[in-house]
Amino acid sequence: MQFIFLGSPGAGKGTQASLLANRWQIPHISTGDILRAAIAGKTSLGIQARSHVEAGELVPDILIMALIRERFGEPDMKQGWILDGFPRTLTQAQALDELLAIVRQPYPQAIYFEVSTENLVTRMLGRGRQDDTEATIRRRLEIYQADTTPLIDFYEKRECLIKIDGNRSPDAVTQTLQESLLVHQSSHLVPV
Ligand code: AMP
C-alpha cells in the first residue's frame, strides 16, 4: 500500500489521496500542505520555502528531501502511505528510490490523474487558495509541464503507472481509482 499520486496542480489528487488514506488508515503526505503549514508557523523550513511557494516555483529539492526523510522516520510510515505532490522532479524521484532502499520499503505504485488544462485552470481559480492567483496558476502549470511530466515516463517505464481520467466528478474518479487498484493489487487492500 505504497502510492505516489501524480498529476498537475488542480488535478484532484489531494482530494483522492485524502479519501483513500482515510479509508485505508494510512498516512497522506502532501508536501504542499506541509509547506503551507510551515510557512504559516514561520518555521525554518517555512521561511526558506515561502518565496518559492508564493511565486509558484518549486521549492529546492534539498529542502523537500530533508522534509521527506524526516517524515519517513515516523513510525506510522511502516504500514503504507500515499505521497501527494511528491516527487515533482526526476531528482526527487531518484532520491526517493534511494531513501526507500535505505528504509527497506518497496517501490510504490504510481497513479496519474489526467485532467485537461481548461478544467485545471477552472478548478484552481475556484478553490481560492492563497497561492492560487492567476499568475501563479499559469506559472505552476508551466513548471509542472517542464519538471513533473518526465515522471510519467519514469514510472511508466518501470511498469508501475496507472492512468486515471480525472476530468469527471470526484465520486466518479474515486470509483474508477478503487476499481483499478483492486484489479492491480486485490490481495493487499483491506478497506476499513
Ligand atoms: P501543491 O499543494 O502540491 O500544489 O504545492 C504547493 C506549492 O508547494 C508548489 O507550488 C511548490 O511551490 C511547493 N511544493 C509542493 N511540493 C513540492 C515538491 N515536491 N517539490 C518542490 N516544491 C513543492
Side-chain angles (χ1 to χ4, degrees):
M1 296 234 281
Q2 285 82 8
F3 296 100
I4 291 173
F5 279 19
L6 292 170
S8 164
K13 57 190 189 312
T15 306
Q16 299 299 329
S18 158
L19 275 168
L20 291 188
N22 200 22
R23 186 166 156 86
W24 298 331
Q25 298 288 293
I26 56 176
H28 165 203
I29 317 298
S30 157
T31 42
D33 285 350
I34 294 171
L35 290 169
R36 279 184 289 277
I39 291 168
K42 298 193 167 69
T43 66
S44 141
L45 170 67
I47 291 162
Q48 294 177 84
R50 185 175 172 175
S51 60
H52 302 284
V53 173
E54 286 180 351
E57 306 278 342
L58 292 183
V59 172
D61 290 333
I62 193 159
L63 284 180
I64 298 290
M65 285 319 300
L67 173 171
I68 288 288
R69 255 181 234 112
E70 193 180 316
R71 189 64 186 81
F72 266 88
E74 301 286 330
D76 66 342
M77 295 297 277
K78 300 275 187 281
Q79 301 306 320
W81 31 263
I82 300 178
L83 300 179
D84 160 20
F86 171 89
R88 246 179 165 98
T89 62
L90 275 177
T91 307
Q92 290 179 14
Q94 283 154 356
L96 175 64
D97 282 353
E98 284 163 24
L99 174 63
L100 293 176
I102 292 167
V103 298
R104 293 172 192 276
Q105 291 220 17
Y107 281 151
Q109 174 79 59
I111 318 280
Y112 172 41
F113 296 88
E114 284 183 289
V115 176
S116 71
T117 307
E118 199 185 305
N119 280 341
L120 289 173
V121 174
T122 312
R123 285 183 193 178
M124 287 166 85
L125 280 173
R127 65 189 181 180
R129 223 170 61 186
Q130 221 174 2
D131 54 334
D132 278 346
T133 64
E134 207 164 331
T136 46
I137 288 175
R138 220 174 303 118
R139 186 73 190 124
R140 287 161 75 204
L141 291 178
E142 276 168 23
I143 289 176
Y144 171 77
Q145 279 300 330
D147 292 342
T148 310
T149 51
L151 295 185
I152 311 300
D153 239 27
F154 180 84
Y155 289 112
E156 200 154 44
K157 283 202 181 105
R158 193 179 279 176
E159 295 183 1
C160 68
L161 188 78
I162 298 176
K163 289 186 182 174
I164 302 276
D165 176 3
N167 288 294
R168 294 152 314 141
S169 72
D171 283 352
V173 174
T174 307
Q175 179 76 24
T176 311
L177 175 59
Q178 297 204 85
E179 284 164 10
S180 311
L181 292 178
L182 285 170
V183 169
H184 277 76
Q185 22 190 312
S186 52
S187 56
H188 301 298
L189 300 177
V190 186
V192 291

